[in-house]
Amino acid sequence: MTVGATAALLIAAFLAAGLGSALGMAGGIFLVPLLTTVAHLSFGAAVAISLVSVVACSCASSPTLLIKRLTNIRLAIVLEIAASLGALVGLLAVGAISERILYGLFAAVLVVSAGQMLQTRRPRSAPTNVAPTSWATQLRLRSSLPGPQRVETPYIVHGPGAGLAAMFGAGMLATLLGIGSGVLKIPAMDMALRLPLKVSSATANLMIGITAAGAAAAVVIRGDLDLGFAAPVVVGSVLGSVLGSKVLVCANPAHLRIVFFAVLVLLAVPMTLTATGITNVGA
Amino acid sequence: MMHSEAADRGLASRLARLLRFGTTIAVTVTSIGMLAAHTSFTGAATVAVVSGLLMFALLPIAGLLAAVQHYVRRLDWTYVALAVGVLVLVGANFLVGSAS
């Protein structure tokens, strides 16, 4: 691979992870379409690279969120049981699913993500008198996050059962499509568990790395990872997730969402065309 | 027993240090391998890139082990069992992924 191609991959991964981290995603949702449509890698090769990149992004961006006390570690461990189980089912199923169906599934995820970009989320209000389920109470999932002027904002966790079901699906998608599944995890925590958005994003961020870790270690050990592509993509993703989000904080969120919507829809087109057999973007 | 939330702050700091340190080492090793591969592609460059990428994949597992140790110290057996359960599932993911 030429130096120019490596630099192009590095920059593309930097932008994908930087843009993704601005909205709480790991960037895998951009990487797989880019690697298949632009670099013409096979879907499996792109997924393998993206899995390692997703873990790296999670490791790079989690420390800041942990120190800010936005991550609910106990909730992450509880939900990770379902997500890791889903990832395992995804790995077992991936061989039985045709590549065209996977392209179609990816296109659907892109369209759902694009739809989410147009939705505005209202900040979660303080805990109401609604009693948390006994599960959430016994597992001591309630916590608080630091608010303005050092005032703690307490929150409770609702409906962990619905959250577990969503995490199972998110875990499956993670290993089938090589994405962090933040697109499923964050709304599930927001709607089913009724968590504050910052807690949802931070907790999902930590979980994304754990969900993909086993599969990522396997693709590295197995030796069929294209290192020429993987190294610049992973290094670019890490730099993007750390630095890109800080740069993008200055940007107008409404404008960002419009740009994201356009990019996601644009990426969904070749994935849909491949799924329907009209074109073939991968190797 | 200290309140769970307050006790978890210690774990959060420890995980943050572990992930930050590990990420720095892993990205440095991967970058060195990537740069070396373009000057003279040798076995050493490949070893560096694979080692760096593997470090990334192993970091969340190291974090889970730190969580298990934390909850064992606190005699919080519910979370010891849950964290060990996640570790077992991640291990199963690795085994199935390696075989496929």
Side-chain angles (χ1 to χ4, degrees):
Chain A
M1 186 180 288
T2 63
V3 175
T6 303
L9 276 173
L10 201 82
I11 292 165
F14 176 88
L15 291 175
L19 289 169
S21 64
L23 288 174
M25 296 176 184
I29 200 159
F30 301 115
L31 274 180
V32 174
L34 282 173
L35 289 171
T36 50
T37 56
V38 180
H40 299 293
L41 287 185
S42 71
F43 191 82
V47 165
I49 293 169
S50 183
L51 275 172
V52 183
S53 164
V54 159
V55 177
C57 281
S58 165
C59 294
S61 53
S62 288
T64 307
L65 302 170
L66 282 161
I67 287 167
K68 284 183 179 171
R69 298 200 293 110
L70 296 175
T71 312
N72 188 327
I73 298 173
R74 276 167 283 137
L75 180 62
I77 291 174
V78 170
L79 296 179
E80 197 49 51
I81 292 278
S84 296
L85 195 61
L88 184 61
V89 173
L91 280 171
L92 289 166
V94 74
I97 302 173
S98 80
E99 207 163 84
R100 276 176 61 178
I101 290 175
L102 293 174
Y103 272 105
L105 197 55
F106 208 110
V109 170
L110 285 166
V111 170
V112 170
S113 307
Q116 281 179 9
M117 291 299 130
L118 298 180
Q119 290 174 359
T120 51
R121 291 192 184 119
R122 285 173 298 180
R124 185 74 58 209
S125 56
T128 59
N129 290 329
V130 178
T133 66
S134 57
W135 248 33
T137 308
Q138 285 169 13
L139 291 170
R140 294 159 278 137
L141 296 178
R142 66 182 302 153
S143 188
S144 63
L145 73 159
Q149 295 167 342
R150 294 187 178 183
V151 177
E152 292 287 314
T153 308
Y155 63 86
I156 51 178
V157 179
H158 296 255
L164 286 168
M167 293 305 141
F168 180 84
M172 262 183 81
L173 285 182
T175 46
L176 282 175
L177 307 179
I179 59 174
S181 296
V183 61
L184 262 183
K185 284 176 177 164
I186 297 171
M189 288 186 189
D190 188 39
M191 288 182 277
L193 306 180
R194 298 179 64 189
L195 293 176
L197 188 57
K198 284 183 179 178
V199 176
S200 302
S201 297
T203 306
N205 205 295
L206 182 69
M207 288 178 62
I208 281 166
I210 303 171
T211 307
V219 297
V220 176
I221 295 277
R222 219 163 53 197
D224 52 2
L225 199 65
D226 190 327
L227 299 180
F229 280 92
V233 164
V234 170
V235 171
S237 298
V238 169
L239 298 178
S241 62
V242 174
L243 302 176
S245 58
K246 289 179 183 171
V247 173
L248 287 163
V249 163
C250 308
N252 184 329
H255 293 167
L256 261 183
R257 284 180 180 274
I258 292 168
V259 173
F260 264 56
F261 174 80
V263 173
L264 289 166
V265 170
L266 204 67
L267 291 173
V269 173
M271 302 303 266
T272 307
L273 292 176
T274 305
T276 50
I278 297 170
T279 58
N280 188 12
V281 296
Chain B
M1 186 187 279
M2 198 192 307
H3 189 268
S4 299
E5 189 189 339
D8 276 0
R9 287 178 196 172
L11 176 60
S13 302
R14 199 172 161 202
L15 284 177
R17 280 197 303 274
L18 173 76
L19 293 176
R20 188 164 281 165
F21 179 73
T23 301
T24 307
I25 299 288
V27 80
T28 305
V29 171
T30 308
S31 301
I32 290 169
M34 182 178 70
L35 294 171
H38 286 291
T39 52
S40 59
F41 195 86
T42 60
T46 306
V47 169
V49 171
V50 169
S51 305
L53 298 180
L54 195 57
M55 271 186 232
F56 275 121
L58 295 178
L59 269 176
I61 297 164
L64 279 170
L65 289 170
V68 171
Q69 189 194 30
H70 170 82
Y71 291 119
V72 166
R73 274 188 190 169
R74 284 184 44 76
L75 307 177
D76 190 341
W77 302 116
T78 305
Y79 276 92
V80 170
L82 286 166
V84 168
V86 175
L87 269 171
V88 169
L89 285 167
V90 171
N93 272 279
F94 172 73
L95 291 175
V96 171
S98 301
S100 60

